[in-house]
Amino acid sequence: MGRLQGKIALVTGAAQGIGAGVARAMAREGAAVIAADRNVAGVEALAAEIGAEPLALDVTSEADWAKAAAHIDAAHGKLSILVNNAGVELVKPMTEHSLADWRGLMAVNVDGLFLGCRTFQALLAKGGSAGHPASVINVSSIAGLVGYPDQLAYNTSKGAVRHMTKSLAIEWAAHRLPIRCNSVHPGCIRTPMLEMAVEGWVREGSIPADDPWAAVAALCPLNAVGLPEDIAMGAVYLASDEARFVTGIELVIDGGWVAR
């Protein structure tokens, strides 16, 4: 306990799933958590549960990001941790992707990260020091490392997250800014987003309808579906000073899925 004591953390997409798990874990470890989401009711409920500050934020809106930065600057004067977790998924063949589908997904999964990192760079630099750098954690996916059918837009976006992370890690280091940047790559984690994907796999006949979650678990060498807490503890490590010499990496938390 207390691994993040004294740190200010902003977590996007915090109303449910991995984002909620990360916010809970960081609050338990002593961080002052700002839980952000466009689902205002959901994030307010989470904030009341864990003692966090709720923040309405549409990650595709440059104006929303600017308001968030102004608020956090006035309230805290710095930011120690930025978790870019908000994301959406699309499961259907490439020929059924409309241009609006493609652009809408990229706006959340890629543009949102760019806007967050650019907007908060100055506050993150204030929140870090040479021995205790600030930490940016970008949530990608194993779909950003390997390809999966009928997820072209999603796969592409998560690959972009991985490479954006590496580019920012090197850029910030080159400019001597005390900010680390790493990506987390979840495998099959039981979240509303994965539940939606599993429904799609059942419809297309990729997995059996009678016990789809057993089929998903069987694809993992550990024969299990992960939980948001599994990702959250990886994020806690990357956010903590234990990882002060870690930047530009991808932390894969997938039960061995990609290894096989």
Side-chain angles (χ1 to χ4, degrees):
M1 304 295 288
R3 294 163 71 191
L4 304 180
Q5 198 70 41
K7 295 184 183 293
I8 314 298
L10 172 61
V11 182
T12 71
Q16 63 182 15
I18 289 172
V22 170
R24 288 188 180 100
M26 289 192 171
R28 284 197 306 268
E29 293 294 340
V33 174
I34 300 129
D37 205 291
R38 63 184 179 186
N39 176 355
V40 176
V43 83
E44 286 180 345
L46 175 80
E49 172 198 331
I50 66 173
E53 177 185 349
L55 179 69
L57 175 66
D58 178 349
V59 298
T60 69
S61 167
E62 190 170 7
D64 272 17
W65 277 111
K67 288 177 185 176
H71 171 73
I72 292 171
D73 190 17
H76 303 285
K78 64 179 181 179
L79 187 68
S80 317
I81 302 160
L82 172 61
V83 182
N84 285 308
N85 166 74
V88 293
E89 189 169 22
L90 180 66
V91 181
K92 56 184 176 181
M94 184 265 290
T95 52
E96 296 177 16
H97 283 45
S98 70
L99 185 57
D101 287 337
W102 178 274
R103 287 177 173 168
L105 185 143
M106 294 297 171
V108 176
N109 292 5
V110 181
D111 298 354
L113 269 72
F114 162 71
L115 289 171
C117 291
R118 188 189 66 178
T119 303
F120 274 95
Q121 176 177 292
L123 284 175
L124 286 162
K126 290 180 182 178
S129 65
H132 305 278
S135 176
V136 173
I137 300 163
N138 295 326
V139 179
S140 180
S141 167
I142 56 173
L145 300 172
V146 295
Y148 290 96
D150 300 334
Q151 298 184 65
L152 178 67
Y154 184 72
N155 294 347
T156 303
S157 73
K158 291 304 185 179
V161 170
R162 174 181 178 268
H163 205 75
M164 189 188 307
T165 297
K166 292 184 179 300
S167 297
L168 281 170
I170 297 306
E171 179 168 327
W172 283 331
H175 289 285
R176 298 296 184 263
L177 294 175
I179 310 170
R180 299 181 293 105
C181 190
N182 297 289
S183 57
V184 175
H185 297 256
C188 277
I189 307 298
R190 189 73 183 255
T191 65
M193 184 180 291
L194 180 61
E195 288 169 359
M196 180 183 72
V198 168
E199 289 172 4
W201 297 335
V202 169
R203 283 195 302 271
E204 70 184 20
S206 299
I207 57 176
D210 56 341
D211 195 355
W213 288 102
V216 174
L219 295 171
C220 174
L222 292 184
N223 195 35
V225 175
L227 298 174
E229 291 78 5
D230 297 315
I231 309 306
M233 294 317 298
V236 165
Y237 164 69
L238 290 174
S240 74
D241 288 340
E242 298 161 24
R244 65 185 182 88
F245 200 54
V246 178
T247 196
I249 70 155
E250 58 266 0
L251 177 58
V252 181
I253 307 175
D254 69 346
W257 187 302
V258 171
R260 188 170 65 181

